[in-house]
Amino acid sequence: MNAMNNVDTSLGQAQDALPRLRFIPFRQTDVLEMCLSDVALSEEQRAQFERVARYIQAHFTDEFAQIRDQIKSAYALLDPDSDTRLLPAFANPELEADFVPLLEHTLNRANYEKVSNETLQQALDSSSLFQLQLHVDMSDFDEVLLYTRGASRRSETLSEFFGLWKRRVEFTNYDRVVLFIRFKDDIDADSALGECPPGSTMLKLFRNVPGADVEMLFPNIRLGMRLIDKLVIGVPAVLSGAVMLTTRLGATLLLLGSLFGFWLGMSARPVTLDKAAVLALLAGLGALGGYLWKQFSAFRNRKLKYIQSLTENLYFKLLDNNAGVILRVLDDAQESECKESLLAYYFLLTARGPLTAKELDERVERWIASRWQYRLDFEVEDALNKLLALGLAECDNKRWTLVKAVALPT
């Protein structure tokens, strides 16, 4: 995964349009056991494979320990949750510029797919599955990176019109979504960013996110009212208002009209404000105030209901923040590199002769599909290059074999 994968992730696709993914959805230890459980291995091959597996794991443990130090140093000036003091005499501001390239490189090695700005905008413009009208002001951000991993098709039944009508919708769901945001230095005072300081950064990791609902992951979402919500509130308000005008406010409006007509000189007939008239006027105004408060409460309660729904969904989808996201992604990247190397080595070990990269790729993908029911897009070139760099495999005339005599550390 040293070369950036250029496959763009679409946030809303049909079932047959979902591409095969390069992410291997099994733990590193499980991949090792999956290979060891295969009857194709002799006792000698089994012992050799276990020694090589320990060597591969140790190599990537050391490599990612160095990467972890590099990316933590680059993130030190950006971390909004840091509880350590920065000493200006030892700080290196130039490292800050290295953080985003390091992060993207690590996400790529962890099998995350980058979402283009065009695809992201399409997702923001699409309808939410949670039946919310959400708006995101992208002008608040100086830089936005969105990465996804593990796409699958799911379906859900949505209830509409007070449960009288149900419809089945299909959508693309992502197992993992990483969001990196750098806020502008001059954030608008009317922005919905709350306490996010200008110029700061935010890094978050979510799980099980529908492609059409990525806007709910942003910190400056504004909740709007859908047309159906406006009708549900507005139509009863108009009808009840008309009833109140013709019944409870009729006498009050007639009295106010007579008063204003007399005061403006439009009527010569004086209006007497006795106790009964004043009580009728106050009763009418009280009824009007109660009506307006009732409609405002209906609007506010409906909006609070949607805010609660949004909050509950985010609560269960958020996995980690800021530095914690970096550590998770580093661990995922290390596991991915090990898994790919183990699979490539195993199939070269069990092959009866040299294999081309295409033959090896087909064998791995066919084995994963038939034995473990998963459609994998195995990164064969990257896996072979890792074995070559480790001195475990060699290539002659585009055909790959294992190095027969490898001095492995004990």
Side-chain angles (χ1 to χ4, degrees):
M1 285 161 292
N2 296 326
M4 179 65 71
N5 188 293
N6 293 321
V7 177
D8 182 31
T9 302
S10 178
L11 294 177
Q13 315 177 62
Q15 173 65 44
D16 55 358
L18 275 178
R20 290 179 298 127
L21 301 175
R22 55 191 177 126
F23 171 60
I24 303 172
F26 307 103
R27 296 184 306 154
Q28 170 191 313
T29 54
D30 290 337
V31 170
L32 179 60
E33 292 300 326
M34 288 158 60
C35 295
L36 290 173
S37 65
D38 201 317
V39 295
L41 286 175
S42 65
E43 289 299 321
E44 181 181 355
Q45 288 176 324
R46 185 184 303 274
Q48 177 182 348
F49 184 68
E50 288 179 330
R51 289 196 302 271
V52 168
R54 289 193 294 269
Y55 171 62
I56 291 174
Q57 292 166 1
H59 168 79
F60 285 113
T61 298
D62 293 340
E63 179 183 350
F64 277 92
Q66 299 177 20
I67 296 175
R68 181 160 39 249
D69 291 339
Q70 293 174 5
I71 199 168
K72 285 175 64 178
S73 297
Y75 189 59
L77 295 176
L78 301 173
D79 188 358
D81 300 328
S82 177
D83 59 351
T84 57
R85 298 181 181 180
L86 289 176
L87 299 177
F90 305 113
N92 185 3
E94 295 180 358
L95 286 176
E96 182 180 337
D98 297 334
F99 173 70
V100 170
L102 279 171
L103 176 65
E104 292 198 280
H105 182 65
T106 305
L107 285 166
N108 181 59
R109 297 184 72 175
N111 298 135
Y112 279 83
E113 313 293 348
K114 186 175 183 179
V115 177
S116 67
N117 292 332
E118 293 77 11
T119 305
L120 174 59
Q121 190 58 52
Q122 291 175 7
L124 296 178
D125 294 337
S126 61
S127 300
S128 171
L129 293 179
F130 294 104
Q131 305 182 60
L132 302 175
Q133 189 69 38
L134 303 176
H135 305 281
V136 178
D137 186 2
M138 300 298 290
S139 64
D140 288 333
F141 311 128
D142 190 44
E143 185 175 14
V144 175
L145 296 177
L146 187 70
Y147 278 79
T148 65
R149 191 181 73 179
S152 61
R153 292 296 294 174
R154 296 188 182 182
S155 60
E156 190 169 316
T157 301
L158 301 181
S159 297
E160 297 182 345
F161 297 106
F162 307 100
L164 299 177
W165 182 44
K166 297 181 183 295
R167 63 184 178 97
R168 194 83 173 169
V169 295
E170 288 193 356
F171 58 94
T172 303
N173 190 82
Y174 293 95
D175 296 336
R176 296 290 183 268
V177 175
V178 171
L179 176 66
F180 171 78
I181 290 176
R182 190 192 304 271
F183 302 107
K184 284 187 174 180
D185 294 327
D186 53 344
I187 297 177
D188 191 345
D190 297 330
S191 172
L193 286 174
E195 298 181 357
C196 298
S200 64
T201 62
M202 184 185 75
L203 187 60
K204 290 185 177 292
L205 174 64
F206 300 90
R207 68 179 184 91
N208 294 335
V209 178
D213 285 319
V214 294
E215 63 263 45
M216 72 178 180
L217 309 181
F218 286 81
N220 65 337
I221 53 174
R222 294 181 184 271
L223 184 62
M225 300 294 286
R226 302 173 301 162
L227 176 60
I228 183 64
D229 299 317
K230 295 176 182 178
L231 292 176
V232 167
I233 296 176
V235 171
V238 171
L239 294 178
S240 61
V243 172
M244 188 182 66
L245 284 173
T246 57
T247 56
R248 305 182 63 180
L249 288 182
T252 302
L253 293 177
L254 182 60
L255 178 60
L256 288 175
S258 300
L259 282 172
F260 285 124
F262 178 74
W263 290 339
L264 295 176
M266 300 174 61
S267 173
R269 182 180 179 182
V271 179
T272 304
L273 285 177
D274 55 11
K275 183 177 181 180
V278 171
L279 289 177
L281 179 61
L282 293 177
L285 294 176
L288 178 62
Y291 168 78
L292 294 176
W293 175 255
K294 180 181 178 181
Q295 302 312 314
F296 171 75
S297 297
F299 170 80
R300 183 186 61 181
N301 291 337
R302 197 168 188 85
K303 194 167 185 177
L304 288 175
K305 174 186 174 182
Y306 287 145
I307 292 176
Q308 181 182 5
S309 174
L310 179 65
T311 303
E312 289 176 352
N313 279 290
L314 283 177
Y315 180 84
F316 291 105
K317 293 182 184 299
L318 181 63
L319 288 178
D320 223 324
N321 294 290
N322 300 323
V325 178
I326 296 175
L327 296 179
R328 277 179 177 262
V329 171
L330 283 167
D331 186 66
D332 289 343
Q334 180 179 330
E335 284 243 335
S336 295
E337 298 286 42
C338 288
K339 289 184 289 187
E340 292 176 3
S341 301
L342 289 173
L343 286 174
Y345 189 90
Y346 168 76
F347 280 93
L348 287 177
L349 179 64
T350 55
R352 296 183 179 180
L355 297 176
T356 64
K358 182 179 179 181
E359 292 171 340
L360 177 62
D361 187 50
E362 291 175 350
R363 291 192 180 194
V364 174
E365 293 178 358
R366 186 167 56 248
W367 183 71
I368 292 290
S370 61
R371 288 287 303 274
W372 312 104
Q373 291 74 53
Y374 182 75
R375 296 176 67 248
L376 174 67
D377 182 17
F378 186 62
E379 291 190 295
V380 63
E381 295 290 347
D382 183 58
L384 288 171
N385 288 334
K386 287 195 282 281
L387 295 184
L388 181 65
L390 290 169
L392 298 173
E394 56 188 3
C395 182
D396 182 21
N397 195 25
K398 297 185 178 180
R399 302 189 72 85
W400 289 83
T401 57
L402 296 179
V403 175
K404 294 183 178 180
V406 180
L408 299 177
T410 57

